[in-house]
Amino acid sequence: PGLVAAALAEDPGQVVMTDYVEEAVDLMDMNITETFGDSKNRPKAATMDWDDDPSLLQEHHGTFDVIIGSDVVYWPVLIEPLIRTVKALLSKKPTSRFLMLYSRRNPKVDVLLHRTAQRYRLDSTELSLDQNTVYRAVLSHPVYTEDTDMFHLYEFRHSDE
């Protein structure tokens, strides 16, 4: 999602793509260079482990109006560090949001995700993908014929305090 966000952004230089694996960050850097060349107004790649203090990333890049995560929930133990990191890095603007698309591997994760978000004062809403033509095309692939409830898109916003 990072390069797509950068391509769509008014200011690609405000886009920061992260991963906790340094080799992945190196690949992101290569893709950024290939896509944006040596432009000074290009996205950045950074190492980010959700167990690390998010203020380290915040010191270098600030907070974000939009955070996008794709297939970032693999294990239930990662939900709290993810939500804690999002809470710290999501700007306080009323329009700020965290959009997360993930593959449902365990329905209990949904409950844990929403409860954890509530504890961190983030409202969560599932957004419908039913009218999305790309999503419908993906579901028409034979691999998804038996599991059409696999992909879910959630939006998280700061709760009114």
Side-chain angles (χ1 to χ4, degrees):
L3 284 178
V4 172
L8 296 174
E10 255 181 60
D11 182 3
Q14 296 297 309
V15 174
V16 179
M17 300 179 287
T18 65
D19 201 294
Y20 72 99
V21 177
E22 282 196 40
E23 291 82 4
V25 174
D26 292 342
L27 286 172
M28 286 189 280
D29 271 328
M30 288 172 41
N31 286 332
I32 289 168
T33 300
E34 194 172 306
T35 305
F36 290 89
D38 291 329
S39 168
K40 291 183 183 194
N41 191 28
R42 59 187 254 165
K44 297 156 199 74
T47 304
M48 176 71 199
D49 185 326
W50 300 332
D51 284 323
D52 292 343
D53 182 354
S55 67
L56 300 173
L57 188 76
Q58 190 176 15
E59 285 175 23
H60 290 96
H61 303 289
T63 58
F64 302 93
D65 297 340
V66 177
I67 298 174
I68 301 172
S70 178
D71 207 21
V72 292
V73 177
Y74 306 107
W75 306 103
V77 299
L78 295 177
I79 291 173
E80 179 140 5
L82 168 66
I83 295 298
R84 181 179 56 243
T85 300
V86 166
K87 179 69 176 182
L89 295 176
L90 192 63
S91 76
K92 302 295 185 205
K93 294 179 183 175
T95 56
S96 296
R97 66 193 62 177
F98 167 47
L99 297 171
M100 184 185 80
L101 179 73
Y102 85 103
S103 299
R104 178 181 283 156
R105 293 170 180 89
N106 178 347
K108 292 179 183 177
V109 169
D110 287 2
V111 174
L112 181 59
L113 185 62
H114 294 293
R115 285 184 182 159
T116 305
Q118 285 176 335
R119 274 200 339 266
Y120 282 88
R121 304 207 35 86
L122 292 171
D123 293 330
S124 58
T125 306
E126 183 168 5
L127 304 176
S128 174
L129 291 167
D130 292 338
Q131 301 304 313
N132 185 291
T133 54
V134 173
Y135 175 70
R136 293 169 65 104
V138 167
L139 289 184
S140 69
H141 190 279
V143 74
Y144 298 112
T145 56
E146 292 186 25
D147 189 2
T148 59
D149 189 38
M150 178 183 249
F151 300 106
H152 294 266
L153 177 62
Y154 289 100
E155 176 184 69
F156 298 83
R157 293 175 176 245
H158 291 288
S159 298
D160 294 331
E161 298 187 54

